[in-house]
Amino acid sequence: MMSNLSDFDFSGKVILIVEDTETSNRFYNAALSRTKAKLLWALNGEEALVLVQENSDIDVVLLDLNLPGISGFEVLKKIRKTNKKIAIIVQTAFVLSGEEAACYELGTDAFITKPVMLDYLLSTLQKHI
Ligand SMILES: [Mg+2]
């Protein structure tokens, strides 16, 4: 069942999008700017880790696995080493066998595959934000 987009109001929430692909970032920007959440962007894992360290108000990290430099797995591991509270949603286009289980083992809260359905993205965020 499709929810109305206006059902999703994330005012006061902060979402960090870790994604290196421009088309994905355009989609996330269109989808999430309407929710009134504050959006932070990282184009690679190193940037993501710096932003997580510097912004204690981040509620959710939308984390791509295939990133230039350190992988999303590594980012997930490093965030969880110091922060058990922040919600992490892995989002990836290429799902290899065992990847989803590995991500849950490393502490992700959710795992979604691209292309991401708008309604599914928003309801997953709602659940964890
Ligand atoms: Mg990528």
Side-chain angles (χ1 to χ4, degrees):
M1 192 181 76
M2 288 293 289
S3 311
N4 194 317
L5 266 183
S6 57
D7 292 346
F8 297 97
D9 184 345
F10 303 147
S11 302
K13 301 293 185 179
V14 182
I15 302 171
L16 169 62
I17 299 116
V18 188
E19 173 61 65
D20 61 310
T21 306
E22 198 189 331
T23 47
S24 293
N25 278 330
R26 242 185 272 132
F27 167 76
Y28 286 128
N29 191 41
L32 300 176
S33 52
R34 287 181 252 181
T35 67
K36 302 190 187 111
K38 179 181 171 189
L39 306 180
L40 300 176
W41 303 88
L43 296 175
N44 59 57
E46 288 84 353
E47 280 178 22
L49 291 172
V50 170
L51 284 170
V52 167
Q53 203 152 32
E54 290 178 350
N55 297 272
S56 56
D57 58 344
I58 294 173
D59 296 287
V60 182
V61 181
L62 256 185
L63 177 63
D64 184 24
L65 286 185
N66 298 288
L67 294 166
I70 61 170
S71 73
F73 290 106
E74 220 33 61
V75 175
L76 175 58
K77 220 186 286 178
K78 289 209 160 96
I79 293 176
R80 277 292 177 255
K81 216 181 253 178
T82 55
N83 191 325
K84 312 275 183 225
K85 261 183 66 187
I86 198 168
I88 300 175
I89 299 172
V90 165
Q91 43 101 15
T92 185
F94 310 101
V95 185
L96 303 175
S97 160
E99 276 192 345
E100 182 169 0
C103 286
Y104 279 111
E105 210 156 291
L106 291 174
T108 195
D109 295 289
F111 185 98
I112 60 182
T113 51
K114 294 188 259 194
V116 180
M117 303 290 285
L118 178 59
D119 196 54
Y120 188 67
L121 170 69
L122 294 174
S123 56
T124 303
L125 277 165
Q126 178 99 289
K127 214 181 288 174
H128 298 285
I129 208 160

